[in-house]
Amino acid sequence: DSGVTQTPKHLITATGQRVTLRCSPRSGDLSVYWYQQSLDQGLQFLIQYYNGEERAKGNILERFSAQQFPDLHSELNLSSLELGDSALYFCASSVESKSGTSGVVGELFFGEGSRLTVL
Amino acid sequence: GENVEQHPSTLSVQEGDSAVIKCTYSDSASNYFPWYKQELGKRPQLIIDIRSNVGEKKDQRIAVTLNKTAKHFSLHITETQPEDSAVYFCAASINNAGNMLTFGGGTRLMVKP
């Protein structure tokens, strides 16, 4: 058990719909990452939040958005879903310095993932 | 942006043999190189990492080597066991980008008893 909790574990929905994936980081970790794992694209970084603020953006579509709340849990919102959005979505957390430039980057702990199937 | 290539995509070895997985990266600013193991249906788990100020790191049967000049790094597993069977991913990042990792395509390692 990594200490990172994701819900739901599985989700089946239709094209055009919107879903919300939820993540609770490990106790004490201020940084939350979202990664997408699909057969054709592999593991891809989507977005990072640190203590409630967006810190970095990767290959995240405009139809996708995320936020981190004061209690540090995070949500990934996926809208206008397409067949190609079917994937395993991982949340991960780590210990990091505030600025991110001091070199203090801890191990990245992944949750068990949320498997999204769009029909 | 960073591009990480990983080879081979599949690797089959006999129990007790060694396994080597190689990765190359494109961004010379990258300085953090972790390796993750993902068992079927499970989450990726960090098994070893190396930073650019060292050339080699060992942890029991696992070792990682880094050649910054050539921009490649490798994972070595000795005395393989059936429980080593999994998909292994290499990754790279610029340290001040935290864990914003660029992953390789993965290597499916099969260890035959």
Side-chain angles (χ1 to χ4, degrees), chain B residues 26-79:
Chain B
S26 61
D27 191 339
S28 56
S30 290
N31 53 11
Y32 175 59
F33 307 93
W35 286 86
Y36 287 83
K37 176 183 180 183
Q38 186 177 27
E39 296 176 358
L40 190 61
K42 304 280 190 181
R43 60 187 173 89
Q45 290 187 262
L46 180 71
I47 56 171
I48 195 167
D49 57 13
I50 191 167
R51 299 184 189 274
S52 60
N53 56 345
V54 296
E56 184 176 359
K57 184 177 178 180
K58 272 187 178 181
D59 183 3
Q60 299 182 349
R61 297 185 297 107
I62 293 173
V64 56
T65 58
L66 171 64
N67 183 327
K68 279 206 74 182
T69 303
K71 289 193 276 191
H72 66 70
F73 56 114
S74 301
L75 178 72
H76 303 253
I77 306 174
T78 58
E79 300 171 24

Side-chain angles (χ1 to χ4, degrees), chain A residues 1-2 33 35 37 43 45 48 56-57 88 90 94 96 100-112, chain B residues 32 36 38 41-47 49 51 87 89 93-105:
Chain A
D1 183 10
S2 66
Y33 295 79
Y35 281 85
Q37 185 172 35
L43 259 170
F45 167 71
Q48 178 202 0
K57 251 184 178 179
L88 192 51
F90 284 108
S94 66
E96 289 171 32
T101 58
S102 70
V104 177
V105 178
E107 176 180 345
L108 191 63
F109 290 89
F110 283 83
E112 296 296 334
Chain B
Y32 175 59
Y36 287 83
Q38 186 177 27
K42 304 280 190 181
R43 60 187 173 89
Q45 290 187 262
L46 180 71
I47 56 171
D49 57 13
R51 299 184 189 274
V87 179
F89 291 94
S93 79
I94 301 171
N95 198 54
N96 63 0
N99 278 302
M100 191 178 78
L101 303 172
T102 300
F103 282 89

Side-chain angles (χ1 to χ4, degrees), chain A residues 73-118:
Chain A
H73 91 270
S74 177
E75 293 181 356
L76 179 66
N77 301 296
L78 315 175
S79 62
S80 302
L81 285 168
E82 302 174 0
L83 297 178
D85 298 328
S86 295
L88 192 51
Y89 291 85
F90 284 108
C91 170
S93 73
S94 66
V95 173
E96 289 171 32
S97 63
K98 184 178 180 182
S99 68
T101 58
S102 70
V104 177
V105 178
E107 176 180 345
L108 191 63
F109 290 89
F110 283 83
E112 296 296 334
S114 292
R115 183 170 296 280
L116 173 66
T117 302
V118 182

